[in-house]
């Protein structure tokens, strides 16, 4: 296929035929060798990640035994990840790239990039750095104490006795996972690596939410009881889980809480990772892993300040047209957030009414998707509340993909710890980000593809994926979803402003030594987002450095590439052609730029 043929025709039939031909482009035996190698990588990783197997619906048949296991979160388990990455990288490099066809070279580049990033992270030796950078083993966002109950509730299906037995076995394994992370955090603490005081306060609160309940009232026991009832199975295994919680999990939680309490007594208040061993390098590596770009903290800070000014000016124009003229943009957004007509009651009926608004917005956008996309997800997406046990430290919204086998839908979770944090004017843009045309469409376009290797269907690059989701918010505006609803458009622009502000505060804390308070106050003053939600966001960036930068940096790249392709196509422009790139799977931003420019620009 000629490079510029990709946009040469407005015919959708020609477009949808193009990518499959690309995926099958002949490279001979070497292409087949690479595909077989990548499949071996995928299944070997699956054996070592039972939770991933369950998430994908691949814990059946010969891998059914994985349903009774949890991932190994010990230091030894992490060491195996690094060793496997080095081994896989050596095997990958044994195939000459020049011997591959075009599609196979893309697979080679993307998988190789990810492996290089994992290997590079081994140098730090604390927290997590095998792809995702999280410096603290235990925090409000990390730890088996919160992750495993949430995983069991959302992803472990119970349809028969074997599934129920596997559930019990996983709860038994939870005690070992908690102890393994306690040991890792103790090792890291000996090097001075543990979370700041305010993070440990929230972590202790969440540990208490799990531990300080009757065993039969814990999340796993109640969840299994409900699943047994739905499957018409005897309730006795729920009692077994309660017994395991009391006799094994609670003692492990007590040991972990004792360590966190001890660390809280020694903790500092400094927010940034600059205070950690090799902290400046850790932040640079974290930013590079999240954004798949090479930008310094100073560069990110300057970009954020410039984009904050530009987006703030756009919001100012709309607010003035609505008669909101007094005070800064942030102050006017705060006032808008407080208006009774923009708030749902902070009650269960109020939360349900909010969820109904989200469902209505999701349905309206779903009807419009064929205007922009030739390939739509087969899997449905549901909207649910973040479980109360983890909502204190959880993000405002997040997405969980559907299983490959179609047995579990995708889920868009929204945090409703306080409806004041979710005013009506900002709800639609969150739905477009987390569901469609955002994460759900992007993730499932790759996961349901038959043209890319399994190892890449579930691939994740934050700059690509979060950038796409933010681009999707812009696309909704361009599609006219806010026509006649200027406050809804303000909500969309506030979301853009929020992501630009993230560039400032993330680099501010980790590169410029801003305090938690300075970062929080800047976020509130700039975006007008409620203090409770703003505080939660700053605390998230504290324990997940660099990740918050991926949204606006990725959005900038996606928008620039789309505009370049549109300008090149001229009168032949068809957005379905550009958006078809999603079927090639997630990739680093520099690879995305190369792919789009070679085939569309």
């Amino acid at each position: 296929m000629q490079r510029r043929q990709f946009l040469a025709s407005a015919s959708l039939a020609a477009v949808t035929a193009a990518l499959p031909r690309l995926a099958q482009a002949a490279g001979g035996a070497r292409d087949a060798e690479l595909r077989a190698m990548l499949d071996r990588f995928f299944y070997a990783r699956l054996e070592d990640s039972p939770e991933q197997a369950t998430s994908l619906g691949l814990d059946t048949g010969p891998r059914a035994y994985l349903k009774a296991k949890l991932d190994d979160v010990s230091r030894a388990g992490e060491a195996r990840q690094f060793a496997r990455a080095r081994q896989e990288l050596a095997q990958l490099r044994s195939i000459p790239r020049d011997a591959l066809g075009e599609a196979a070279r893309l697979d080679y580049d993307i998988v190789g990039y990810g492996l290089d990033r994992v290997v590079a992270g081994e140098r730090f030796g604390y927290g997590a750095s095998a792809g995702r950078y999280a410096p603290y083993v235990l925090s409000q966002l990390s730890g088996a104490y919160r992750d495993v109950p949430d995983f069991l509730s959302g992803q472990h299906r119970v349809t028969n006795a074997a599934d129920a037995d596997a559930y019990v076995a996983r709860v038994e394994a939870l005690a070992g996972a908690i102890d393994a992370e306690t040991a890792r955090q103790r090792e890291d603490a000996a090097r001075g690596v543990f979370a700041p005081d305010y993070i440990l306060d929230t972590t202790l609160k969440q540990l208490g939410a799990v531990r300080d309940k009757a065993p039969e009232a814990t999340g796993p026991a109640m969840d299994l009881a409900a699943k047994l009832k739905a499957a018409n199975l005897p309730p006795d295994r729920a009692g077994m889980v309660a017994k395991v919680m009391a006799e094994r999990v609670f003692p492990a939680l007590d040991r972990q809480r004792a360590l966190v309490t001890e660390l809280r007594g020694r903790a500092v208040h400094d927010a940034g990772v600059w205070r950690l061993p090799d902290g400046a390098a850790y932040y640079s590596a974290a930013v590079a892993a999240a954004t798949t770009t090479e930008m310094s903290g100073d560069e990110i800070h300057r970009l954020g300040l410039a984009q904050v000014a530009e987006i703030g000016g756009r919001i100012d124009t709309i607010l003035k047209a609505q008669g909101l003229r007094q005070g800064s943009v942030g102050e006017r957004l705060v006032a808008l957030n407080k208006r009774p007509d923009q708030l749902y009651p902070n009650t269960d009926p109020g939360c349900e009414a909010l969820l109904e608004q989200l469902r209505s917005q999701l349905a309206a956008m779903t009807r419009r998707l064929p205007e922009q996309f030739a390939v739509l997800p087969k899997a449905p997406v549901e909207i649910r509340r973040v479980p109360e046990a983890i909502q204190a430290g959880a993000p405002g919204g997040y997405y969980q993909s559907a299983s490959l086998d179609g047995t579990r839908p995708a889920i868009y979770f929204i945090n409703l710890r306080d409806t004041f944090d979710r005013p009506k004017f900002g709800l639609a843009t969150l739905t477009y980000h987390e569901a469609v045309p955002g994460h759900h469409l992007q993730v499932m376009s790759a996961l349901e593809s038959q043209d890319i290797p399994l190892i890449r269907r579930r691939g994740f690059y934050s700059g690509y994926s979060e950038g796409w989701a933010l681009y999707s918010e812009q696309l909704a505006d361009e599609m006219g979803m806010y026509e006649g609803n200027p406050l809804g458009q303000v909500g969309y622009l506030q979301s853009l402003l929020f992501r630009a502000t993230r560039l400032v505060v993330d680099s501010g804390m980790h590169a410029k030594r801003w305090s938690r308070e300075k970062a929080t106050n800047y976020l509130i003053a700039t975006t007008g987002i409620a203090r409770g939600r703003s505080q939660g966001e700053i605390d998230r960036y504290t324990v997940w450095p660099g990740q918050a930068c991926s949204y606006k940096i990725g959005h900038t790249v996606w928008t620039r590439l789309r505009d370049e392709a549109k300008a090149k196509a001229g009168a032949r422009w068809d957005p379905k052609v550009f958006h078809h790139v999603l079927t090639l799977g997630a990739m680093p931003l520099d690879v995305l730029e190369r792919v789009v420019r070679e085939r569309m620009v």
Side-chain angles (χ1 to χ4, degrees):
M1 182 174 69
Q2 296 297 318
R3 283 186 175 181
R4 305 197 185 278
Q5 184 182 338
F6 200 78
L7 274 185
S9 171
S11 166
L12 183 59
V15 172
T16 54
L19 282 174
R21 284 203 303 274
L22 171 63
Q24 298 162 8
R30 287 294 195 171
D31 281 19
E33 180 185 356
L34 177 66
R35 177 60 73 98
M37 177 185 291
L38 296 183
D39 285 347
R40 288 196 304 273
F41 289 176
F42 173 80
Y43 286 110
R45 293 180 186 183
L46 207 62
E47 295 291 325
D48 205 31
S49 181
E51 293 171 35
Q52 176 88 325
T54 294
S55 179
L56 291 171
L58 297 178
D59 56 355
T60 58
R63 287 182 293 276
Y65 73 96
L66 293 173
K67 184 170 281 191
K69 297 179 179 292
L70 296 175
D71 292 359
D72 184 352
V73 294
S74 68
R75 191 70 74 191
E78 181 186 54
R80 281 200 309 276
Q81 288 186 54
F82 287 123
R84 181 175 58 227
R86 291 194 301 271
Q87 182 182 41
E88 289 177 350
L89 190 59
Q91 292 179 41
L92 185 73
R93 299 305 186 213
S94 70
I95 298 179
R97 183 182 184 278
D98 291 346
L100 298 171
E102 187 176 8
R105 285 198 301 273
L106 184 60
D107 295 335
Y108 183 97
D109 291 345
I110 294 169
V111 173
Y113 182 98
L115 289 170
D116 279 332
R117 287 294 186 192
V118 172
V119 170
E122 188 173 12
R123 61 175 281 196
F124 296 104
Y126 58 79
S129 55
R132 167 185 168 177
Y133 281 68
Y136 312 116
V137 175
L138 297 175
S139 75
Q140 85 284 19
L141 285 180
S142 57
Y145 80 91
R146 68 179 298 283
D147 295 339
V148 172
D150 189 38
F151 162 76
L152 290 172
S153 174
Q155 304 197 45
H156 187 114
R157 298 176 66 247
V158 175
T159 59
N160 54 46
D163 292 342
D165 288 339
Y167 194 111
V168 176
R170 276 179 156 160
V171 177
E172 291 173 341
L174 173 57
I178 292 169
D179 279 336
E181 290 181 334
T182 300
R184 284 182 62 188
Q185 182 60 86
R186 184 174 288 111
E187 290 176 13
D188 286 358
R191 300 180 60 192
V193 180
F194 54 98
D197 53 10
Y198 58 92
I199 295 297
L200 295 181
D201 285 339
T202 306
T203 305
L204 285 168
K205 179 179 179 180
Q206 293 190 171
L207 281 165
V210 179
R211 170 62 180 88
D212 297 337
K213 291 182 177 178
E216 63 275 11
T218 57
M222 295 182 68
D223 177 57
L224 182 56
K227 288 176 176 176
L228 290 170
K229 183 178 181 180
N232 293 315
L233 293 169
D236 57 317
R237 291 180 182 83
M240 294 170 63
V241 164
K243 187 171 187 292
V244 171
M245 292 295 293
E247 296 180 357
R248 299 182 59 178
V249 177
F250 280 3
L253 286 168
D254 289 340
R255 291 187 287 271
Q256 188 160 99
R257 183 154 63 171
L259 174 64
V260 175
T261 300
E262 174 197 332
L263 296 178
R264 175 61 181 85
R266 298 161 45 194
V268 300
H269 194 65
D270 295 322
V273 295
W274 53 265
R275 65 184 177 84
L276 304 180
D278 211 7
Y282 189 93
Y283 183 58
S284 295
V287 167
T291 67
T292 61
T293 63
E294 300 294 335
M295 294 182 69
S296 69
D298 285 343
E299 289 173 322
I300 291 170
H301 204 75
R302 288 194 297 271
L303 175 64
L305 290 172
Q307 294 201 351
V308 162
E310 187 271 328
I311 300 166
R314 294 167 65 187
I315 296 175
D316 179 57
T317 300
I318 299 175
L319 290 176
K320 285 179 177 175
Q322 296 301 302
L324 298 170
R325 299 176 176 275
Q326 300 301 314
S328 68
V329 166
E331 289 168 341
R332 281 175 279 167
L333 289 171
V334 168
L336 182 60
N337 196 149
K338 292 178 179 178
R339 278 177 27 179
D341 66 313
Q342 292 301 315
L343 296 173
Y344 284 103
N346 195 34
T347 61
D348 286 340
C351 289
E352 183 55 37
L354 188 153
L355 291 170
E356 278 302 310
Q357 179 175 336
L358 298 182
R359 295 180 187 118
S360 175
Q361 291 162 346
L362 174 62
M365 174 55 85
T366 299
R367 290 191 293 270
R368 297 281 304 275
L369 290 177
E371 300 171 17
Q372 297 284 330
F373 300 93
V375 176
L376 300 177
K378 299 181 181 68
V381 57
E382 296 181 359
I383 303 173
R384 300 182 191 172
R385 291 184 62 172
V386 172
E388 290 188 17
I390 64 171
Q391 67 183 9
Y398 56 91
Y399 171 79
Q400 176 183 290
S401 65
S403 59
L404 268 174
D405 63 359
T407 58
R408 194 191 67 253
I411 303 169
Y412 152 30
F413 286 99
I414 182 166
N415 195 328
L416 298 182
R417 57 180 172 246
D418 188 342
T419 55
F420 184 76
D421 293 341
R422 291 294 167 193
K424 295 177 183 179
F425 69 89
L427 289 175
T429 201
L430 181 65
T431 299
Y432 304 144
H433 182 106
E434 299 294 346
V436 291
H439 285 314
H440 182 58
L441 200 150
Q442 178 258 309
V443 170
M444 296 311 298
S445 291
L447 198 57
E448 294 174 351
S449 171
Q450 299 301 307
D451 296 325
I452 57 178
L454 279 165
I455 198 171
R456 289 196 47 238
R457 292 189 208 173
R458 188 63 183 269
F460 179 79
Y461 291 95
S462 191
Y464 176 100
S465 298
E466 299 297 356
W468 169 265
L470 196 52
Y471 164 75
S472 295
E473 296 184 48
Q474 176 178 326
L475 183 63
D477 181 47
E478 294 169 345
M479 292 169 66
M481 298 303 291
Y482 299 113
E483 193 169 323
N485 179 18
L487 291 185
Q489 190 173 46
V490 167
Y492 148 63
L493 290 172
Q494 184 189 38
S495 178
L496 278 188
L497 180 64
F498 169 44
R499 273 40 178 258
T501 304
R502 281 177 165 178
L503 299 176
V504 179
V505 296
D506 193 87
S507 59
M509 288 192 295
H510 297 296
K512 294 183 174 296
R513 305 194 177 192
W514 282 20
S515 68
R516 180 203 195 198
E517 289 72 23
K518 181 175 181 178
T520 303
N521 290 335
Y522 180 87
L523 181 63
I524 295 169
T526 303
T527 67
I529 290 173
R531 179 166 290 276
R533 179 182 164 201
S534 292
Q535 193 65 81
E537 290 292 334
I538 293 301
D539 292 356
R540 169 186 168 185
Y541 315 151
T542 299
V543 303
W544 202 355
Q547 192 272 346
C549 301
S550 62
Y551 297 71
K552 200 63 181 68
I553 290 173
H555 168 260
T556 301
V557 172
W558 273 108
T559 303
R560 182 176 69 244
L561 292 175
R562 192 279 307 268
D563 291 347
E564 289 179 12
K566 187 174 182 178
K568 180 67 178 179
R572 299 167 300 165
W573 170 250
D574 183 345
K576 297 175 186 176
V577 177
F578 178 76
H579 295 149
H580 212 289
V581 74
L582 292 179
T583 63
L584 296 179
M587 59 189 75
L589 290 175
D590 60 345
V591 177
L592 175 67
E593 292 197 58
R594 189 186 77 217
V595 167
V596 171
R597 286 182 173 138
E598 286 181 349
R599 298 165 193 170
M600 300 187 193
V601 179

